[in-house]
Amino acid sequence: MMAETPGSAPSPAGATVTPWHSLDAEACLRLLAATTEGLASADAAARLRRYGENALPPPTPTPGWRRFLRHFNDPLILVLLAAALIALLVGQVVDAVVIVVVVTVNAVVGYVQEGNAEQSLAVLRTMLAPSACVLRDGGRVQVGVGTLVPGDVLMLEAGDRVPADARVLHARGLRVDESVLTGESVPAEKSAAPVAGSADLGSRTSMLYSGTLVSAGQATALVVATGSATEIGRIGALLGQVETLSTPLLRQIARFSRGFTAVALVAAVVLFVFAVAVRDYPWMDALLVVVALAVGVVPEGLPAVITITLAIGVRRMAARDAIVRRLPAVETLGATTVICSDKTGTLTRNEMTARSIGTSAGRLRVLGSGYAPRGEVLAETGGDAALTAGTRVATLGLLCNDARLYGRETDWRIVGDPMEGALLALAGKTGLDAAAIARRYPRIDEVPFDAGHRFMATLHAEADGHGALICVKGAPEQVLLLSRAQAAADGSEAPLDTGLWQRAIDVAGVEGQRVLGFAWRRLGGLPSRFALEDVHGLVFAGFVGFIDPPREEAVRAVAECRSAGIAVKMITGDHAATAAAIASQLKLADRVRVVTGQALDSVSDDELPELAEAASVFARTTPEHKLRIVRALQSRRHTVAMTGDGVNDAPALKQADIGIAMGRKGTAAAKEASVMVLADDNFASIAAAVYEGRAVYDNIRKVLAWTLPTNGGEALAVVMAIAFGWVLPMTPPQILWVNMVLTITLGLALAFEPPEAGVMRRPPRRADAPLVSPFMLWRIVLVSLLFCAGAFGIFSWAQSRGHDVATARTMVVNVLCVLEIFYLFSLRYLHASSFSLRGLRGTPAVLWAVAGVVVAQVAFTYLPWMQMAFDTRPVPLLEGVVIVLVGVALLLVLELEKWLLRRLDAFEELRPDGAR
Ligand code: ATP
């Protein structure tokens, strides 16, 4: 049955034919020339050269020319091109050429900007590159998934995405969700036992397949196939789906644009008929005007500019360690009203140091800082007996431990759980010889820690006898529940005094210490199995209190969130007293109210929303509680951001408006369920992302407040001219020039606007607030009218000064350009005055855009070939000065309006009651 003789060199082709599932584990190891200790680094590197990277070929990208042509695939652009063709046929060659050039310039700008936006998202994808835990050179290391090779030994646990096809070597409670591969939604149980060679993919319980998700348990497994040789590679499915550049807001705006287009086309037809039949315009002129007008009035560039605004927001957030996985999160973040955060590592530093030990003989104080295994252990009460009892607790902490401590002198680091690292340091301080103890009690098996049962247990053989030892550490109440006795001062067993322990633990908790209880049980011989149910009847040895100070930046970020009207709630697995103490240090609320998981269980879904709003700390919770809390807050119309890291957090992360996973601590399952990942696991990054989110939303509104009235004002002027049978203030190519060159260039600059001052001092916006607020609607109407008045004002003034129509039209285009520039400066601050040094200095984007537009406009007015193309004339100096003054007048009027509205308190979005 075996395809290759044992010991034969593995080959990429071998991976596709070897029935790994039906071979026993040793045979698989032999075939791949591997051992359970993992590969040596040099061997792994050689194999990587031979087998290639563990990655699937990327999907073929859409070719550039197709993406470019997509910019012409818009009904209005097509109508415009058709009009150009008609113009060409009737001999208006210049107009036809101008239209085609303008449309092309517009498409090039769109294409380049879209490329930039795509690129920022591509960078994010590389920032989220997954890693896997493998054994190399005999030790656990974290390596990039791409570098995995056949023969690697993987260490997998709940929440991990299986990174390559692998043969199970050892499994404990392992269940794997293989729905991506088999469509079966119930997780499959896995074990190391071989299965029949004929078993189909879904029944190969000894195999793990790339792309599937470990939903429970732990495993070590041997990589047998990587990259395209994996099952998922062979069916050509993609691992991480590629994010698209779309959000509800973008779709809403695209829909709005489409609707608008239809209306504009109908209006154009009516206007055309009216112009030709009633006002006797030549039909070709009328056609070009109405088409240019329809193109001008429809904000077809809006979705592109908004995509760019979002992409810039994503880039800014990434620079602040908040990696957005799904673009809509950028919009939603700005509306966040509640942030529910984990405690350990997010609000606190997750740098644990043991501070106290509680035993029945007395209480000990532990000195020293960091993970250095040096420092004194002093008996506060109980003297030497307490010291002996403390050493017993430290021994349990050493045995029931998966972390590794390394370093020297002042630089000590750990690999693994910080609390376990602190226990290793504590063992050093109590003078224990870790190596000797490990030899004396070799570990046989373990029950890993789980947030559900809140303890970890290890089974050890006694090297010098026939007995065995179970060591347990965990949440003290939990360990006390599993205990039947306690250790007396001399190490003998005494009756358990739970009340006494509870009081001692509460004291440590009130001091902000995180408390862990320790217990053991001796067995007469080695049991044949060791599972969760076998952990009971323990002897309680005592507890250790750790300090884990709040992050300084988290304290600041909490204050910032509170001033921004965002409530911060801590949801932790820790003890209520500890959580409350840390919450007060963080100043989560003026009066911190703590609710425990147990209390949550006794509250009905109807009562929960009120409680969830009132409380700021949820202690001793399980991941299931998180889901209830999110739902309860959402029922009160909150926009909830929620953090999580474990596989069980996934449902709550999905339910939250903004699920946030930890980049370092988080499992693949949590990251995939989230819309955002924190690269540094730090709460301050959430606040930073909210800040950027608000700024992005402001910029989107600015882009809208820009595009609609600038298009509207110009269209209004032309429609009025046709309606009243006046001479047109602009020719069709000029209309296109204003819309597709000036307006788009300037509008794009708004996408780069930095956040305004006070962004985090105003209340959150309502999630259901319309994008165009009453204030903005008023603004659109006002500015449209002002633009229209400016255009007609200059047009009739020019004619009254004896200028011909072509010069008067050139002046109209120039005045529109100047009005747009001044309006841009006014709009950079939606509510505040633009008359400030910062306001006048602008951003590089604004200055570049203005400089570009000014140069283009001067060329438009004075260059002979431009004059020929657009039928323009040079504008004399005095007229030029008057044109600039019209712009200044607009700025003054708009500043006056802002000032009046501020005085009248008319900015609904600045009012606290506008929040909810
Ligand atoms: P947060 O949810 O804020 O990160 P947490 O880390 O305290 O808080 P969990 O990881 O669910 O939450 O831990 C809950 C409790 O389980 C801890 O307070 C501690 O008592 C216990 N515990 C945590 N880690 C271990 C471990 N490695 N071994 C044994 N017990 C542990």
Side-chain angles (χ1 to χ4, degrees):
M1 181 196 284
M2 275 195 276
E4 295 183 57
T5 48
S8 69
S11 70
T16 62
V17 290
T18 312
W20 303 106
H21 56 280
S22 64
L23 302 178
D24 62 27
E26 284 73 32
C28 296
L29 284 163
R30 258 197 322 276
L31 275 176
L32 286 169
T35 68
T36 48
E37 310 290 296
L39 298 174
S41 299
D43 187 8
R47 289 184 192 221
L48 187 60
R49 280 193 296 279
R50 181 164 164 204
Y51 292 102
E53 208 189 332
N54 175 34
L56 298 181
T60 25
T62 320
W65 62 269
R66 277 186 65 177
R67 279 187 290 131
F68 179 68
L69 283 188
R70 267 211 304 254
H71 290 269
F72 293 92
N73 188 13
D74 177 291
L76 276 168
I77 301 288
L78 295 177
V79 170
L80 194 57
L81 289 174
L85 187 68
I86 298 173
L88 191 70
L89 292 179
V90 300
Q92 297 196 7
V93 181
V94 178
D95 280 358
V97 172
V98 168
I99 292 176
V100 172
V101 170
V102 168
V103 168
T104 310
V105 167
N106 191 49
V108 168
V109 172
Y111 173 75
V112 170
Q113 290 300 344
E114 197 182 80
N116 282 345
E118 288 275 8
Q119 230 167 23
S120 358
L121 290 190
V123 171
L124 294 189
R125 266 170 239 144
T126 61
M127 287 176 84
L128 285 170
S131 62
C133 183
V134 294
L135 294 179
R136 290 258 173 99
D137 303 316
R140 276 165 177 251
V141 281
Q142 223 36 51
V143 297
V145 160
T147 64
L148 289 178
V149 288
D152 262 327
V153 176
L154 281 173
M155 322 282 294
L156 293 165
E157 54 186 31
D160 286 345
R161 186 70 59 202
V162 178
D165 285 3
R167 171 68 166 82
V168 178
L169 297 177
H170 177 78
R172 159 172 291 283
L174 185 65
R175 282 206 307 277
V176 179
D177 173 354
E178 298 190 316
S179 52
V180 274
L181 209 58
T182 59
E184 173 57 59
S185 58
V186 181
E189 289 198 17
K190 300 278 179 175
S191 72
V195 295
S198 56
D200 61 7
L201 217 54
S203 324
R204 295 182 188 171
T205 52
S206 57
M207 293 296 294
L208 303 176
Y209 291 105
S210 180
T212 58
L213 187 76
V214 180
S215 49
Q218 286 180 321
T220 52
L222 174 73
V223 174
V224 297
T226 58
S228 354
T230 58
E231 287 299 329
I232 200 138
R234 272 192 275 165
I235 60 172
L238 270 184
L239 282 180
Q241 285 297 310
V242 179
E243 271 305 314
T244 54
L245 279 170
S246 187
T247 74
L249 177 68
L250 273 179
R251 284 193 288 275
Q252 189 187 336
I253 286 179
R255 243 194 333 268
F256 167 75
S257 284
R258 275 200 301 276
F260 208 100
T261 306
V263 173
L265 283 176
V266 172
V269 172
V270 172
L271 200 63
F272 174 73
V273 172
F274 179 79
V276 175
V278 182
R279 296 286 175 218
D280 288 335
Y281 283 90
W283 72 269
M284 188 62 222
D285 289 358
L287 175 73
L288 287 182
V289 169
V290 296
V291 170
L293 205 59
V295 173
V297 80
V298 172
E300 70 283 299
L302 208 52
V305 180
I306 289 177
T307 306
I308 293 159
T309 314
L310 290 171
I312 291 169
V314 164
R315 212 152 51 199
R316 286 190 185 152
M317 288 177 188
R320 304 186 70 172
D321 288 318
I323 303 166
V324 170
R325 291 186 65 247
R326 299 203 177 92
L327 214 49
V330 185
E331 294 160 23
T332 327
L333 266 167
T336 308
T337 58
V338 182
I339 304 177
C340 297
S341 172
D342 284 345
K343 173 174 73 69
T344 312
T346 313
L347 289 164
T348 66
R349 292 200 212 141
N350 205 10
E351 288 162 8
M352 305 270 175
T353 312
R355 263 291 155 264
S356 65
I357 306 178
T359 69
S360 58
R363 186 178 151 118
L364 305 172
R365 192 144 59 93
V366 185
L367 305 181
S369 66
Y371 292 113
R374 285 188 213 104
E376 274 184 284
V377 180
L378 306 173
E380 284 181 332
T381 55
D384 284 349
L387 282 173
T388 312
T391 309
R392 204 176 300 128
V393 172
T395 310
L396 291 171
L398 191 61
L399 287 170
C400 189
N401 202 316
D402 284 327
R404 214 155 48 82
L405 183 67
Y406 65 95
R408 63 195 140 82
E409 285 163 29
T410 52
D411 186 24
W412 288 89
R413 289 159 197 252
I414 57 146
V415 185
D417 180 47
M419 203 160 51
E420 295 189 345
L423 286 171
L424 296 181
L426 175 68
K429 290 174 191 175
T430 52
L432 291 173
D433 178 349
I437 291 176
R439 274 196 305 276
R440 188 164 161 215
Y441 297 103
R443 185 187 306 183
I444 307 298
D445 209 344
E446 72 270 314
V447 174
F449 171 75
D450 182 284
H453 57 247
R454 292 206 194 98
F455 68 83
M456 164 178 174
T458 49
L459 174 70
H460 303 261
E462 289 201 39
D464 49 3
H466 302 293
L469 181 69
I470 296 176
C471 300
V472 179
K473 74 173 195 303
E477 322 83 280
Q478 204 64 23
V479 180
L480 280 168
L481 267 181
L482 299 168
S483 298
R484 60 171 172 77
Q486 70 185 45
D490 59 0
S492 61
E493 291 180 20
L496 186 66
D497 185 349
T498 307
L500 183 87
W501 290 112
Q502 288 289 10
R503 283 191 294 280
I505 289 162
D506 282 346
V507 169
V510 169
E511 290 170 11
Q513 292 184 8
R514 182 180 163 94
V515 184
L516 216 51
F518 294 82
W520 81 81
R521 183 172 148 206
R522 277 188 194 285
L523 304 175
L526 261 186
S528 55
R529 45 156 249 162
F530 185 56
L532 198 62
E533 311 76 68
D534 304 318
V535 183
H536 56 81
L538 307 173
V539 182
F540 193 79
F543 65 86
V544 174
F546 303 82
I547 51 158
D548 175 21
R551 291 172 180 262
E552 276 162 34
E553 63 275 27
V555 180
R556 280 195 299 275
V558 167
E560 194 180 37
C561 286
R562 289 184 65 192
S563 90
I566 302 167
V568 181
K569 299 183 188 291
M570 177 196 283
I571 306 189
T572 175
D574 216 335
H575 191 270
T578 313
I582 300 281
S584 322
Q585 289 171 26
L586 286 162
K587 301 200 182 58
L588 280 196
D590 297 333
R591 262 195 59 239
V592 172
R593 177 160 174 201
V594 186
V595 176
T596 61
Q598 220 175 6
L600 283 178
D601 287 335
S602 61
V603 168
S604 73
D605 282 346
D606 293 340
E607 296 161 315
L608 190 58
E610 198 183 329
L611 184 66
E613 259 188 340
S616 40
V617 174
F618 300 88
R620 286 291 188 237
T621 52
T622 60
E624 293 70 41
H625 290 128
K626 284 189 172 180
L627 186 62
R628 282 190 73 204
I629 295 169
V630 173
R631 288 205 173 123
L633 289 169
Q634 282 173 333
S635 74
R636 291 262 169 138
R637 301 182 61 212
H638 279 289
T639 303
V640 185
M642 162 80 76
T643 67
D645 46 25
V647 62
N648 300 336
D649 288 335
L653 290 173
K654 276 196 190 133
Q655 173 71 34
D657 300 277
I658 302 150
I660 304 171
M662 299 300 142
R664 296 190 190 154
K665 266 200 324 184
T667 55
K671 288 181 193 167
E672 284 165 25
S674 306
V675 294
M676 197 166 96
V677 175
L678 297 184
D680 58 354
D681 293 12
N682 188 343
F683 178 81
S685 305
I686 306 177
V690 170
Y691 171 76
E692 296 293 348
R694 287 185 172 197
V696 165
Y697 200 78
D698 276 355
N699 284 357
I700 291 177
R701 295 183 63 215
K702 286 176 189 175
V703 168
L704 275 177
W706 163 262
T707 314
L708 300 179
T710 45
N711 285 350
E714 180 202 31
L716 196 61
V718 179
V719 171
M720 272 174 60
I722 295 178
F724 296 110
W726 300 334
V727 181
L728 286 175
M730 279 180 290
T731 65
Q734 289 170 351
I735 296 175
L736 290 180
W737 169 262
V738 173
N739 265 300
M740 303 189 86
V741 179
L742 305 187
T743 311
I744 300 253
T745 314
L746 290 173
L748 214 50
L750 288 170
F752 295 85
E753 278 300 289
E756 285 186 45
V759 163
M760 290 299 263
R761 282 199 298 276
R762 61 180 198 230
R765 72 163 209 271
R766 295 173 58 129
D768 55 358
L771 204 53
V772 178
S773 61
F775 156 64
M776 274 181 55
L777 200 61
W778 146 252
R779 228 335 141 67
I780 291 167
V781 172
L782 174 72
V783 176
S784 295
L785 289 175
L786 289 174
F787 268 52
C788 181
F792 271 121
I794 279 288
F795 193 58
S796 46
W797 181 68
Q799 283 176 317
S800 72
R801 281 178 59 83
H803 289 302
D804 59 12
V805 173
T807 309
R809 282 180 175 158
T810 312
M811 286 168 65
V812 168
V813 176
N814 273 294
V815 91
L816 284 175
C817 174
V818 167
L819 286 173
E820 290 202 352
I821 292 175
F822 280 95
Y823 181 43
L824 183 69
F825 275 93
S826 159
L827 197 59
R828 293 194 52 222
Y829 301 98
L830 276 177
H831 317 107
S833 164
S834 299
F835 287 136
S836 66
L837 195 62
R838 190 170 166 229
L840 292 178
R841 242 193 278 132
T843 58
V846 165
L847 297 181
W848 276 113
V850 170
V853 161
V854 168
V855 170
Q857 191 58 29
V858 168
F860 173 88
T861 314
Y862 298 102
L863 275 190
W865 63 268
M866 285 286 247
Q867 290 177 346
M868 206 179 76
F870 286 98
D871 195 21
T872 53
R873 302 285 181 274
V875 174
L877 185 66
L878 173 71
E879 276 72 358
V881 172
V882 170
I883 286 171
V884 173
L885 287 179
V886 173
V888 174
L890 174 86
L891 186 63
L892 289 177
V893 169
L894 290 180
E895 284 303 301
L896 183 71
E897 175 242 23
K898 267 196 251 178
W899 179 80
L900 270 176
L901 289 178
R902 270 202 311 273
R903 292 278 317 246
L904 296 172
D905 194 21
F907 289 117
E908 68 273 19
E909 54 266 58
L910 296 187
R911 266 182 261 136
D913 58 353
R916 63 193 56 251

